[in-house]
Amino acid sequence: MNVATNLAYPTAIEAVDLIKDYGRGENTVHALRGVNVRFERGRFTAIMGPSGSGKSTLMHTLAGLDSATGGHIMFNGGDITAMNDNQLTLLRRKKIGFIFQSFNLLPMFTAEQNILMPLTLAGDKPDRAWFRQLVHTLGLEQRLGHRPNELSGGQQQRVAIARALISKPSLVFADEPTGNLDSVSSAEVLEFLKRSVKELNQTIIMVTHDAVAASYADRAIVFADGRIVADEANPTAEVMNELLMAERERAARGALLEPPIAPEPAGARHRR
């Protein structure tokens, strides 16, 4: 078993021989093929890969949003793959935060109300010291009374980040968090994610297709065909672009080597 790991940091979450299949028989899609990977606490990790590589499936399975076909996911002292729906719901509510590409802010509420929404829905009181630290780190002090339509895209995503962190989750998943942003706003959000890890001791796992976004992370994993094909510490945009290009070329060569599909005899479709 080849587990990608760095023993200098404690484990936040770990996948062991993780398998995820979709469909059955000849139509089976092997999205995850026995993945072994350990993510470190207090670190910012990016997961990259071509479309259909399995990177989003890995994130959804780690977060308990999708069930595994085989293997185990060890998190917070338990095995996620053995939990029922109620246990998973409680786990996500208390221990896991989510940042999405579409900010998912409620338009009728202010930035402050949106940030506090997870606690409001759970009936919990906010830790005001933590709230102040979050909004200071994310530069939102002057925007708390604004509604989403009064904020830029970058500011909306920063509100979404604060919302994901307000309940002090052990782990935060970010799914293409800069996908709807321009380059300036993207850099702003990525810098704040990095600061959240360094200054607030958060653990963030980010799925992205952008090599520049991955360069903000402490570590970047490249996925292809449901497997980890590269694991880079202190990634740069240049290195990640090279790795992605190599995977695209390999996939193209594999497609050329596949045997051609025999053409149907003339009129075959009409005889069906």
Side-chain angles (χ1 to χ4, degrees):
M1 182 171 64
N2 180 24
V3 179
T5 185
N6 180 345
L7 297 178
Y9 293 86
T11 300
I13 191 168
E14 182 175 11
V16 181
D17 298 330
L18 190 62
I19 296 170
K20 178 61 183 178
D21 295 336
Y22 294 103
R24 294 182 178 179
E26 294 180 356
N27 297 320
T28 301
V29 175
H30 303 291
L32 300 176
R33 302 172 183 258
V35 174
N36 290 285
V37 62
R38 172 182 172 272
F39 295 94
E40 301 90 358
R41 192 180 304 158
R43 300 273 280 171
F44 185 4
T45 305
I47 303 175
M48 299 195 69
S51 296
S53 62
K55 60 184 185 295
S56 292
T57 299
L58 176 63
M59 186 191 77
H60 292 155
T61 309
L62 289 173
L65 296 172
D66 206 349
S67 60
T69 305
H72 303 278
I73 300 168
M74 307 308 298
F75 173 65
N76 201 43
D79 184 352
I80 286 179
T81 61
M83 294 181 181
N84 60 36
D85 288 343
N86 288 336
Q87 290 172 319
L88 288 171
T89 298
L90 287 173
L91 185 75
R92 289 191 295 266
R93 184 180 299 167
K94 299 289 186 180
K95 301 294 183 180
I96 296 175
F98 296 94
I99 303 166
F100 298 103
Q101 180 175 335
S102 53
F103 319 126
N104 294 338
L105 300 180
L106 297 173
M108 71 290 296
F109 294 113
T110 65
E112 179 170 355
Q113 290 169 327
N114 269 284
I115 292 169
L116 296 175
M117 191 57 63
L119 300 179
T120 302
L121 293 174
D124 296 334
K125 292 184 178 181
D127 178 338
R128 280 292 165 180
W130 176 244
F131 174 80
R132 288 192 295 271
Q133 187 177 0
L134 275 180
V135 298
H136 174 73
T137 301
L138 293 167
L140 291 170
E141 294 103 325
Q142 306 306 315
R143 295 289 182 266
L144 294 178
H146 292 66
R147 289 181 169 81
N149 65 354
E150 300 171 318
L151 302 172
S152 68
Q155 289 167 345
Q156 289 185 63
Q157 190 60 292
R158 280 189 272 153
V159 171
I161 292 169
R163 180 185 59 192
L165 301 182
I166 190 63
S167 59
K168 300 182 182 178
S170 303
L171 179 61
V172 175
F173 290 101
D175 191 3
E176 299 280 5
T178 59
N180 286 336
L181 302 177
D182 58 43
S183 58
V184 173
S185 295
S186 293
E188 177 184 277
V189 165
L190 289 163
E191 187 59 42
F192 284 121
L193 285 176
K194 192 170 184 176
R195 286 181 63 187
S196 296
V197 171
K198 301 300 182 187
E199 298 179 18
L200 305 177
N201 199 35
Q202 289 296 315
T203 302
I204 296 178
I205 299 174
M206 174 180 71
V207 167
T208 182
H209 67 279
D210 184 355
V212 173
S215 70
Y216 282 79
D218 301 307
R219 173 192 182 197
I221 292 168
V222 179
F223 240 70
D225 298 326
R227 298 184 178 93
I228 294 173
V229 296
D231 190 342
E232 288 289 318
N234 303 312
T236 65
E238 292 76 15
V239 167
M240 300 316 297
N241 268 322
E242 288 173 5
L243 290 170
L244 286 175
M245 186 62 67
E247 280 309 310
R248 292 191 184 102
E249 291 174 355
R250 185 196 61 77
R253 287 196 301 271
L256 289 173
L257 291 173
E258 289 180 358
I261 299 173
E264 290 184 336
R269 293 179 185 230
H270 300 289
R271 293 198 296 270
R272 289 177 182 168

